[in-house]
Amino acid sequence: MTNDSISPTSGIHETRFIGIAGIPEITEGDDLAGSIANALKAQGTALKSGDIVVVTQKVVSKAEGRTVDLATVEPSDFAREFAEGAGRDPRLVELVLLESVEIVRMDSDRGILITETPHGFICANSGIDSSNVAGEESVTLLPEDPDGSARRLMKRLKSMTGLAELAVIITDTFGRAWREGHVNFAIGVAGMEPFIDYRGQEDAQSKVMTVTRIAVADEVAAASELVMGKVDRVPVAIARGIRYVPGDGGARELVRERTYDLFR
């Protein structure tokens, strides 16, 4: 598939998102791909060539052992000071600091910590989350290499299904500058380019586009949440009929270079 094949057309295009239920509680070392395959079989859904398997960060982190018991964390003086003013757990604050390379914004009155992770993501609390995690004081961290996690999962699913064309997106939920609410973003990508690049193509008025690149991986990530939900125990979805460019792209390409970041 090339850029030409995803140019705008006058035809009718249909896209489907299918939630995959029945994924068991994932723990460190579990075969996530095998669990997905079993759930697909149980609900009578078969993967097709060109599908995108969308997986939440939470189950990937659990399978990779990226879970921390806060009882094992010793907070620093800075973490204690911030937590006291913000009414937060100093151990969690310390973990947020350990999982960041920079504090982008902080507000102790409101308990806000916006950080940059080693991956380059700008998000609240370094992406650390306690929701949907077993254990009163357990939290999950982001995968160390989400693109690598996506590649491994894609290769395993390909080998299990025999499909030559299959993509994987790992998602996490972030807030957005200037917009209320949260949406899912792609933090790991495999088997596809994260963009659809319209630069150099003519629009409907025969004007050549010069800057438009659609972040299709983020669009798929955001739309997938509609069939997953946050409380429905559906951590996997299939995106079918998506027009994307197969390739070796990754989610790191979606991170804006610091020299072009005008918002910090």
Side-chain angles (χ1 to χ4, degrees):
M1 186 183 293
T2 67
N3 271 350
D4 292 339
S5 66
I6 50 84
S7 299
T9 69
S10 59
I12 296 173
H13 186 75
E14 180 181 77
T15 296
R16 294 182 63 200
F17 287 85
I18 308 166
I20 306 304
I23 305 287
E25 179 64 28
I26 300 297
T27 59
E28 183 175 359
D30 284 350
D31 179 8
L32 181 55
S35 295
I36 293 171
N38 290 337
L40 285 165
K41 183 178 180 179
Q43 77 174 42
T45 301
L47 285 175
K48 296 182 179 181
S49 181
D51 280 353
I52 303 174
V53 181
V54 187
V55 186
T56 62
Q57 161 269 324
K58 193 65 58 69
V59 292
V60 174
S61 292
K62 288 178 179 179
E64 295 181 353
R66 294 285 286 167
T67 304
V68 175
D69 186 339
L70 290 179
T72 66
V73 179
E74 180 61 34
S76 62
D77 290 340
F78 178 85
R80 291 181 187 277
E81 181 179 350
F82 179 89
E84 183 177 358
R88 299 187 62 183
D89 188 327
R91 301 168 301 174
L92 179 59
V93 173
E94 179 65 18
L95 202 54
V96 169
L97 298 174
L98 291 172
E99 289 295 308
S100 69
V101 296
E102 180 184 346
I103 298 175
V104 179
R105 292 287 187 274
M106 61 182 291
D107 185 334
S108 59
D109 291 336
R110 292 182 289 174
I112 296 173
L113 269 175
I114 306 298
T115 59
E116 179 180 346
T117 73
H119 324 82
F121 305 140
I122 308 296
C123 57
N125 302 321
S126 302
I128 296 172
D129 191 8
S130 62
S131 64
N132 294 310
V133 185
E136 191 66 28
E137 295 193 322
S138 293
V139 297
T140 57
L141 315 180
L142 295 180
E144 291 184 342
D145 177 12
D147 284 332
S149 300
R151 286 192 297 270
R152 290 189 293 273
L153 187 55
M154 178 191 68
K155 289 178 181 178
R156 179 95 167 93
L157 288 171
K158 279 185 171 182
S159 68
M160 296 173 72
T161 62
L163 295 173
E165 188 174 312
L166 194 70
V168 169
I169 294 176
I170 297 173
T171 72
D172 197 12
T173 306
F174 292 168
R176 303 162 295 161
W178 307 307
R179 305 281 290 187
E180 293 293 342
H182 298 76
V183 296
N184 278 7
F185 285 83
I187 66 167
V189 171
M192 62 182 287
E193 299 301 328
F195 300 101
I196 291 179
D197 194 345
Y198 289 104
R199 293 174 298 181
Q201 299 187 46
E202 292 185 352
D203 66 12
Q205 305 302 320
S206 298
K207 298 176 182 178
V208 176
M209 291 181 281
T210 59
V211 297
T212 303
R213 286 199 303 166
I214 299 299
V216 64
D218 277 342
E219 290 186 323
V220 172
S224 70
E225 202 279 331
L226 297 172
V227 298
M228 290 198 233
K230 294 301 177 190
V231 296
D232 297 333
R233 298 181 63 86
V234 180
V236 179
I238 304 303
R240 180 164 294 164
I242 303 294
R243 292 182 289 183
Y244 68 88
V245 180
D248 299 322
R252 279 188 177 269
E253 298 173 46
L254 293 161
V255 177
R256 179 166 286 164
E257 293 182 24
R258 185 65 178 264
T259 53
Y260 295 103
D261 187 347
L262 304 180
F263 307 107
R264 279 197 276 176

